[in-house]
Amino acid sequence: MVLDEAGLDLLFRTARTPERWRDEPVEDDVLRRLYDLVRLGPTSGNCSPARFVFLRTADNRERLRPALSDGNVDKVLSAPVTVIVAQDPLFFDRFATLNPEPGLRAWFAADVGLAEETAMRNGTLQGGYLILAARALGLDVLPISGFDAYAVEDSFLAGQGWRVNFLVSLGYADGQPERPRAPRLSFDDACLML
């Protein structure tokens, strides 16, 4: 099955980063459906290192304020949900469930650099799946990288040992962006065919 033009528009061509949010909650069942889609995306060896913290209340989003760059404060605090997209550096401890290939856990446990690189790469993939799955479910999406990672980890992730990658605010856009879409590189500028 191939997506029709409307599906491609929804995911890519007409999808835009919102500038303002409607005062409309994102229901818990939508967030559960969102994760159920995200978890189906492929990762290396089915390692599935991404972890997601859904900040659904104004109080929890307010806890992010000290970590946010000035330009992101209003966007995050006014969003119905902000997701901390993180990865578990000890993702390999779940291989008994996710990929019981003999010796796989020990391979990652013995090589911290390999484990960190694998967690970051595959956790980022899963964060990308989150963005596309959210759009597919009718949510608008604002990915954010302007924040202090250590402050986010201290405030939200210390108990789990997870490492933050980026933030994603979710909700329903209030109107269309006022600015035109920023330029993108052409195929010839960004691609090689060898």
Side-chain angles (χ1 to χ4, degrees), residues 64-83:
L64 274 177
R65 182 190 291 268
L68 297 170
S69 64
D70 291 342
N72 289 326
V73 171
D74 291 338
K75 296 173 188 176
V76 169
L77 296 186
S78 63
V81 175
T82 294
V83 185

Side-chain angles (χ1 to χ4, degrees), residues 16-142:
R16 296 290 307 278
T17 302
E19 294 176 359
R20 293 173 308 284
W21 302 101
R22 291 194 319 243
D23 185 19
E24 182 178 341
V26 175
E27 300 297 330
D28 289 355
D29 68 309
V30 173
L31 299 177
R32 289 182 179 281
R33 288 178 58 212
L34 173 62
Y35 178 72
D36 282 343
L37 291 171
V38 171
R39 71 191 184 108
L40 297 175
T43 58
S44 175
N46 200 37
C47 64
S48 303
R51 303 295 182 262
F52 304 96
V53 180
F54 293 93
L55 305 179
R56 301 171 308 134
T57 67
D59 288 344
N60 277 316
R61 287 188 305 281
E62 182 64 38
R63 286 175 53 201
L64 274 177
R65 182 190 291 268
L68 297 170
S69 64
D70 291 342
N72 289 326
V73 171
D74 291 338
K75 296 173 188 176
V76 169
L77 296 186
S78 63
V81 175
T82 294
V83 185
I84 300 170
V85 178
Q87 66 263 355
D88 183 354
L90 301 177
F91 67 90
F92 47 81
D93 284 340
R94 300 295 184 114
F95 274 150
T97 301
L98 298 172
N99 186 341
E101 182 178 323
L104 193 57
R105 185 206 173 279
W107 185 43
F108 284 101
D111 190 336
V112 173
L114 175 65
E116 286 177 354
E117 180 181 342
T118 301
M120 175 61 95
R121 180 178 296 124
N122 288 276
T124 302
L125 274 174
Q126 291 182 281
Y129 301 148
L130 178 96
I131 292 169
L132 293 177
R135 286 178 171 175
L137 291 174
L139 294 167
D140 292 292
V141 180
L142 172 67

Side-chain angles (χ1 to χ4, degrees), residues 113-175:
L114 175 65
E116 286 177 354
E117 180 181 342
T118 301
M120 175 61 95
R121 180 178 296 124
N122 288 276
T124 302
L125 274 174
Q126 291 182 281
Y129 301 148
L130 178 96
I131 292 169
L132 293 177
R135 286 178 171 175
L137 291 174
L139 294 167
D140 292 292
V141 180
L142 172 67
I144 299 165
S145 62
F147 63 92
D148 179 336
Y150 296 113
V152 172
E153 289 171 3
D154 286 346
S155 187
F156 293 97
L157 305 178
Q160 289 76 29
W162 302 344
R163 304 297 311 268
V164 65
N165 190 332
F166 61 99
L167 307 176
V168 177
S169 287
L170 301 173
Y172 305 97
D174 185 10

